[in-house]
Amino acid sequence: MKTAVFITYISLFYLGHDIVLPGKGRITNSLFYLKKISTKGDPGYRISKPIVLFNRHNITINGLAIAGGADPAITLKNCSNIRITGNKLFNSTTVAIHIYQCNDITVDHNFITNVSTGVYVQQNSGGGIVITDNQFLNMRGPLPRGQFVQFNNVNGPRCLIANNLCENEPGKSYAEDAISLYMSNGAPGSPITVRNNRILGGGPSKTGGGIAMGDAGGSYQLVENNVLVNPGQYGIGVAGGTNMQILNNKIYAGKNTFTNVGISVWNQYKGSCVIIVVRGNEVNWTNSNGVSNPAWNSGNCGAVEGWDNNVWNSKISSGILPNALIHP
């Protein structure tokens, strides 16, 4: 059995990027060389340049401060069994963490701020993508970026986005969808699950919002027990796909220039949209005209189970979340 290796203080230079890998001394059959990481300027972390890992496995990246600049702070390609935990990832004009064709990746307990998108996961076929207990502050976009987390063609069981604190401050961010599930499929008995996240702030985009499900299709997605306050144009939306569940969420928005609807079920694509459940949610949503608009069912996704078992005119207020989630 292979043993996971912790990356905390060794950095190696390769093809223009600093790459953090396990071990000491020279790495044979490679172009790497070792260099120390300065700890100056960010107490509690060790400073590293952006990290790029190709075809690496059983590694933990921990305790680093990485300013991405024009690059992702961390890039993983064709990797598996990687844990990214306890890092500060910031100041990137692109994404903080880019995960491409990888399986069994965990991203937890990181502070991610002032980037275009927090975690961007592409073309996963084996599942096991877990994004939990992170703090995200001020996603800068612009479109098509601007998410705290986006799954793009992520497929398989054991995929989870949970217990994250997500905040966009007006004037310091330009958000799209806070959490986006695009062309992504869970599995029967193991849906892609978005659970217990706290999302505060969004806009001024008139296309972005809270949690996007079934974007360009998808299947087996579960969104439950999240709390959203002023997340953007919409709160939670099903845009297509099958086997989608929206359960026991709390969603609030006051009138703004970009506010539209709290929960929507509307197939916007040519594929099928069936087996949709919306139940147990509390919504208080005011649109840009100052009119209550908690929910909209377009009618093109078949019968929506549980639709009448929600509190569409809830008395919840912005007080369901504090004025600030994150205090850097």
Side-chain angles (χ1 to χ4, degrees), residues 271-289:
S272 64
C273 182
V274 294
I275 315 177
I276 312 299
V277 181
V278 180
R279 180 188 294 118
N281 303 283
E282 297 182 53
V283 184
N284 181 356
W285 192 280
T286 304
N287 69 15
S288 59
N289 295 319

Side-chain angles (χ1 to χ4, degrees), residues 44-302:
Y45 299 95
R46 296 181 182 272
I47 308 302
S48 173
K49 291 185 178 180
I51 294 167
V52 182
L53 298 183
F54 296 91
N55 196 31
R56 301 292 299 183
H57 314 283
N58 307 301
I59 293 172
T60 293
I61 302 172
N62 171 252
L64 302 179
I66 306 174
D71 298 312
I74 298 173
T75 300
L76 306 180
K77 295 184 178 182
N78 300 306
C79 296
S80 65
N81 295 307
I82 305 291
R83 183 182 181 194
I84 301 171
T85 184
N87 303 285
K88 178 181 178 181
L89 311 174
F90 62 108
N91 294 356
S92 176
T93 58
T94 183
V95 304
I97 300 174
H98 186 195
I99 300 169
Y100 180 75
Q101 294 186 342
C102 300
N103 298 326
D104 298 300
I105 308 296
T106 297
V107 178
D108 68 282
H109 296 94
N110 301 282
F111 175 48
I112 299 174
T113 185
N114 195 35
V115 295
S116 69
T117 284
V119 180
Y120 183 40
V121 188
Q122 283 184 285
Q123 297 187 24
N124 160 280
S125 60
I129 304 297
V130 177
I131 316 295
T132 63
D133 300 286
N134 301 283
Q135 296 187 25
F136 297 93
L137 180 63
N138 293 332
M139 303 298 103
R140 303 298 299 272
L143 186 72
R145 302 276 63 82
Q147 303 82 18
F148 298 114
V149 180
Q150 183 173 41
F151 283 4
N152 179 351
N153 198 7
V154 171
N155 303 283
R158 300 174 292 107
C159 291
L160 176 67
I161 303 169
N163 304 318
N164 299 288
L165 298 180
C166 308
E167 181 175 359
N168 282 310
E169 298 174 300
K172 298 181 181 180
S173 60
Y174 199 98
E176 282 297 320
D177 303 317
I179 296 173
S180 169
L181 305 180
Y182 180 82
M183 294 182 65
S184 294
N185 302 273
S190 184
I192 296 174
T193 299
V194 180
R195 173 186 294 145
N196 295 337
N197 300 284
R198 302 295 182 259
I199 298 172
L200 176 63
S205 167
K206 294 186 178 181
T207 57
I211 302 172
M213 306 172 65
D215 197 359
S219 63
Y220 297 105
Q221 298 176 9
L222 168 63
V223 173
E224 65 176 356
N225 298 325
N226 302 281
V227 180
L228 298 85
V229 171
N230 296 318
Q233 189 261 140
Y234 70 92
I236 301 174
V238 173
T242 63
N243 291 281
M244 305 288 175
Q245 299 182 76
I246 303 175
L247 306 178
N248 304 317
N249 302 278
K250 294 183 179 181
I251 306 169
Y252 171 86
K255 177 185 176 181
N256 211 314
T257 57
F258 47 78
T259 51
N260 180 14
V261 63
I263 289 179
S264 69
V265 177
W266 173 29
N267 187 9
Q268 301 177 48
Y269 301 94
K270 293 181 179 179
S272 64
C273 182
V274 294
I275 315 177
I276 312 299
V277 181
V278 180
R279 180 188 294 118
N281 303 283
E282 297 182 53
V283 184
N284 181 356
W285 192 280
T286 304
N287 69 15
S288 59
N289 295 319
V291 177
S292 177
N293 192 28
W296 182 56
N297 178 4
S298 71
N300 66 351
C301 289

